[in-house]
Amino acid sequence: MLHSLRNYINRITSSTISDEEFKYGEAAFKMKTLKKKQFLLHEGSVCKFMSFIINGAMRQYHIDDKGNEHIISFGIEEWWISDRGSFTNLTPSRYNIDAIEDTNLLVTTRDEINSLKESSPLFLKMAHILDENSFIASQKRVEATISYTAEEKFIYLMETNPVFVKRFPQNMLASYLGITPETLSRVRKSLLGK
Amino acid sequence: MLHSLRNYINRITSSTISDEEFKYGEAAFKMKTLKKKQFLLHEGSVCKFMSFIINGAMRQYHIDDKGNEHIISFGIEEWWISDRGSFTNLTPSRYNIDAIEDTNLLVTTRDEINSLKESSPLFLKMAHILDENSFIASQKRVEATISYTAEEKFIYLMETNPVFVKRFPQNMLASYLGITPETLSRVRKSLLGK
DNA sequence: AAAATGGCTTGATATAGATCAATAATTCTA
DNA sequence: TAGAATTATTGATCTATATCAAGCCATTTT
């Protein structure tokens, strides 16, 4: 299980973490298993963890006044899932996080990750690069949502995250893109004839 | 001029940087002055710098096929402006960055900031917190753009960045929100009667 | 001071996408 | 494997917002 995290650290830091340094990390994480539809976080509570996905898939979403779900982010293998705003500022979360598939996670808390970042340079670097990449990806998504049509949004999703398109139901993809499932269905149909 | 940066570092790291440590930083930055409408970055070129705004205001935007501008971000006093994707991956930028007002900047390059982060713990911490905050803010903006109506988007902007609303022309605010200037004008009119 | 420019408002119309509703396909699950 | 639940499609409207167009301020420029 932990080798997945180790793999990830090596990949995104472009390094090879030593057994010794990785040992520090192991202690900071606890395994957690969720069945499909089980919750990791409920709206209103503080997000006290960051979770690394070993396998399975998760989503982070908000439910508005009309009961519509808006998916803020997906997570799959070797991604992190958390409400970073709530986690960092210890404020109540506006989001729910639940499992789209049966999922295995490595969970760590704020304190643990902070001391880990102090004791392990590679964990620190990893955290840094994670944030940097997250921001870059999020800003691109902002651009897509403010400037693209429904069709362009879907094409952009296929280009950036084809895995999502294969793996998640269309209603969730629509929610992630900020369009209705009906519109997504029509967009896909019209793309077939092109 | 540099005291503005010093101020910022102390503020966001919740520390007081020593004269000694700040000296390291000074060398990494060059002053730059831009008049209103002057460019800092043109679409197609690699963004080789990060710039800290001393005073004035900047914007980062993309121009689409139809000639419409889409503002990805604004920057004002004590904000950074850069295309982080291009900066980090050395890829050609999709964006323009220009001055909305006469602006003074402290400019630093990739190499300089990297070595600065190695030699100064507080600069490192600052960079880290900047990325973290940028991601959190960007993710909130994603939520707003995928789930809010035009009116809600504007209200959200007034809540999160009232300064922008006071300072920038409505057509730019509209572009930032992903709506037309006409719609923003009507939204504001309707809000007055509430 | 006239002219030009840029920004804002307002009205008329068009349209992309939402909503509502029904059916069909798929996949859980007991 | 039948029945239930979930997901996807399709059609008929509706509506929020875009588009097009004109006029009006307020600045800036000459």
Side-chain angles (χ1 to χ4, degrees), chain A residues 110-178:
Chain A
R110 212 161 167 276
D111 292 342
E112 278 165 331
I113 202 122
N114 282 337
S115 65
L116 188 52
K117 277 153 65 175
E118 277 171 37
S119 55
S120 161
L122 270 183
F123 269 94
L124 179 64
K125 188 175 178 188
M126 180 208 78
H128 212 144
I129 294 178
L130 170 62
D131 282 357
E132 190 174 52
N133 289 345
S134 300
F135 172 55
I136 293 168
S138 177
Q139 200 165 53
K140 280 193 197 155
R141 190 168 163 209
V142 166
E143 194 204 337
T145 52
I146 67 173
S147 43
Y148 292 175
T149 64
E151 178 172 303
E152 288 165 342
K153 284 174 193 174
F154 181 64
I155 291 172
Y156 177 73
L157 181 64
M158 287 195 294
E159 284 167 1
T160 51
N161 290 106
V163 193
F164 292 176
V165 179
K166 274 173 223 129
R167 194 157 170 180
F168 301 135
Q170 269 177 225
N171 58 351
M172 290 193 191
L173 298 177
S175 162
Y176 179 83
L177 294 173

Side-chain angles (χ1 to χ4, degrees), chain B residues 4-38:
Chain B
S4 164
L5 176 60
R6 188 165 185 166
N7 219 34
Y8 169 81
I9 292 171
N10 289 342
R11 180 166 55 81
I12 88 158
T13 63
S14 311
S15 312
T16 307
I17 193 167
S18 66
D19 290 351
E20 192 190 7
E21 189 169 349
F22 191 67
K23 282 275 182 241
Y24 280 115
E26 296 196 17
F29 291 90
K30 275 195 316 199
M31 271 294 294
K32 180 159 194 160
T33 296
L34 290 176
K35 290 230 206 74
K36 186 172 172 172
K37 293 194 181 174
Q38 277 193 310

Side-chain angles (χ1 to χ4, degrees), chain A residues 41 47 49 60 81-88 91-95 97, chain B residues 139:
Chain A
L41 177 74
C47 181
F49 52 79
Q60 174 187 3
I81 190 94
S82 170
D83 174 357
R84 282 302 297 280
S86 170
F87 178 84
T88 302
T91 50
S93 180
R94 313 186 57 243
Y95 306 116
I97 298 179
Chain B
Q139 199 165 53

Side-chain angles (χ1 to χ4, degrees), chain B:
Chain B
M1 296 302 185
L2 279 158
H3 78 271
S4 164
L5 176 60
R6 188 165 185 166
N7 219 34
Y8 169 81
I9 292 171
N10 289 342
R11 180 166 55 81
I12 88 158
T13 63
S14 311
S15 312
T16 307
I17 193 167
S18 66
D19 290 351
E20 192 190 7
E21 189 169 349
F22 191 67
K23 282 275 182 241
Y24 280 115
E26 296 196 17
F29 291 90
K30 275 195 316 199
M31 271 294 294
K32 180 159 194 160
T33 296
L34 290 176
K35 290 230 206 74
K36 186 172 172 172
K37 293 194 181 174
Q38 277 193 310
F39 282 81
L40 186 60
L41 177 74
H42 280 96
E43 179 173 348
S45 55
V46 173
C47 181
K48 301 212 177 80
F49 53 79
M50 284 190 56
S51 297
F52 180 80
I53 300 174
I54 303 292
N55 52 54
M58 310 281 299
R59 64 179 177 149
Q60 173 187 4
Y61 61 99
H62 176 69
I63 302 180
D64 69 22
D65 319 327
K66 290 172 198 146
N68 293 319
E69 292 175 2
H70 303 282
I71 296 181
I72 305 307
S73 70
F74 288 118
I76 57 174
E77 288 76 19
E78 298 200 2
W79 290 47
W80 292 86
I81 191 94
S82 169
D83 174 356
R84 283 302 298 277
S86 170
F87 178 85
T88 303
N89 306 312
L90 298 176
T91 50
S93 180
R94 313 186 57 243
Y95 306 117
N96 300 288
I97 297 178
D98 67 15
I100 303 177
E101 306 168 0
D102 294 354
T103 300
N104 289 304
L105 302 162
L106 291 172
V107 180
T108 186
T109 64
R110 214 161 167 275
D111 292 343
E112 278 165 331
I113 202 123
N114 281 337
S115 65
L116 188 52
K117 277 154 65 175
E118 277 172 38
S119 55
S120 161
L122 270 183
F123 270 94
L124 178 64
K125 188 175 178 187
M126 179 209 78
H128 210 150
I129 295 177
L130 170 63
D131 282 357
E132 191 174 50
N133 289 345
S134 300
F135 172 55
I136 292 168
S138 177
Q139 199 165 53
K140 280 194 200 154
R141 189 167 164 210
V142 165
E143 194 204 337
T145 52
I146 67 173
S147 43
Y148 292 174
T149 63
E151 179 173 305
E152 288 165 343
K153 284 173 194 175
F154 181 65
I155 291 171
Y156 177 72
L157 181 64
M158 287 195 295
E159 284 166 2
T160 51
N161 290 106
V163 193
F164 292 176
V165 178
K166 272 172 226 132
R167 192 156 170 182
F168 302 135
Q170 270 178 222
N171 58 351
M172 290 193 191
L173 299 176
S175 161
Y176 179 83
L177 294 174
I179 63 181
T180 60
E182 291 94 333
T183 293
L184 181 54
S185 173
R186 288 184 247 262
V187 160
R188 295 189 69 227
K189 188 181 181 185
S190 122
L191 282 175
L192 288 179
K194 287 187 179 171

